[in-house]
Amino acid sequence: GEDRKRTYYDFIHAESERLSRLIDNVLQLARMTRNDLRLALRPMTMAQLTDLIRSKVSTQIERAGFKMSVVCEEAAGSVQVKVDPDYFAQIVINLVDNALKFSARAEDKTVSIACRLADRRTAVVSIRDFGPGIPRDQLKKIFHLFYRAGSEMTRETVGTGIGLALVRQLTQAMGGRVDAVNREP
């Protein structure tokens, strides 16, 4: 029937998008390993980056059954930063993908994206989910290549341990840094 066809189509579509992201990550990782990363840094305002984020992840978030909250503080919106828009989008997509995976059972199915100024020289983009958090002893390790939190026997989420390592490497290549923190709730 049509309902069943639609369910299969949605599943095939979601999995093909996931595989496409995985292939992009593996290819990007290979380029970085060969020191073949070519950044195309250009000045963009934080407001432009916020719009880019919204356009790149809104469908991904909605398809997962989550709501998206995007807030860019007024003072941050006009600040210019130099980024490679494609790599920045890849960073955000990977972070949102993790947020969706690890907060799938959260009561609050929201992904909050925000930009603010930490000080006159530091712009901060944050992506927050309302999942269970990460054990404190694993917070720094999650950005290591092939590292996956939890044990293989208890792990319920699929992944390769490439996405967050790539996030860290791309962020550093653009002169930034990435951290993970647990928040309450």
Side-chain angles (χ1 to χ4, degrees):
E2 286 302 314
D3 288 347
R4 210 159 185 175
K5 284 181 187 176
R6 185 70 183 161
T7 301
Y8 289 139
Y9 170 75
D10 288 345
F11 177 77
I12 290 168
H13 186 262
E15 285 302 299
S16 64
E17 282 186 343
R18 187 181 68 79
L19 286 173
S20 187
R21 287 191 303 272
L22 177 61
I23 290 166
D24 285 345
N25 284 345
V26 170
L27 291 173
Q28 189 62 43
L29 182 63
R31 280 192 285 277
M32 293 184 88
T33 303
R34 290 189 321 261
N35 291 323
D36 194 25
L37 182 65
R38 299 194 197 303
L39 293 172
L41 297 177
R42 66 177 216 204
M44 294 182 73
T45 66
M46 292 299 289
Q48 289 171 317
L49 283 177
T50 303
D51 289 342
L52 174 69
I53 291 169
R54 186 180 286 114
S55 71
K56 295 291 183 180
V57 298
S58 61
T59 303
Q60 177 187 8
I61 290 170
E62 289 168 14
R63 193 171 280 133
F66 281 67
K67 296 179 293 185
M68 178 172 68
S69 165
V70 180
V71 176
C72 186
E73 291 179 357
E74 191 173 333
S78 61
V79 170
Q80 280 200 348
V81 292
K82 282 192 173 182
V83 298
D84 181 304
D86 293 332
Y87 291 150
F88 186 81
Q90 189 172 8
I91 289 167
V92 171
I93 289 167
N94 282 343
L95 291 172
V96 167
D97 191 45
N98 269 30
L100 296 172
K101 273 194 291 193
F102 292 102
S103 63
R105 294 188 176 164
E107 258 184 58
D108 185 348
K109 293 196 175 298
T110 302
V111 174
S112 297
I113 301 168
C115 70
R116 64 179 176 80
L117 295 179
D119 57 49
R120 288 184 18 186
R121 300 193 58 198
T122 308
V124 177
V125 175
S126 63
I127 297 171
R128 179 180 184 192
D129 65 60
F130 294 86
I134 301 166
R136 186 181 261 10
D137 64 328
Q138 296 180 24
L139 276 172
K140 296 297 181 192
K141 296 176 186 175
I142 63 171
F143 294 105
H144 295 163
L145 188 57
F146 301 121
Y147 183 81
R148 298 201 51 225
S151 72
E152 290 298 329
M153 299 300 289
T154 60
R155 189 172 296 125
E156 296 177 8
T157 58
V158 295
T160 60
I162 293 174
L164 292 181
L166 189 57
V167 163
R168 183 183 67 179
Q169 290 177 353
L170 289 173
T171 301
Q172 288 174 342
M174 288 189 280
R177 68 180 176 88
V178 62
D179 289 312
V181 294
N182 285 323
R183 308 242 330 246
E184 289 295 330

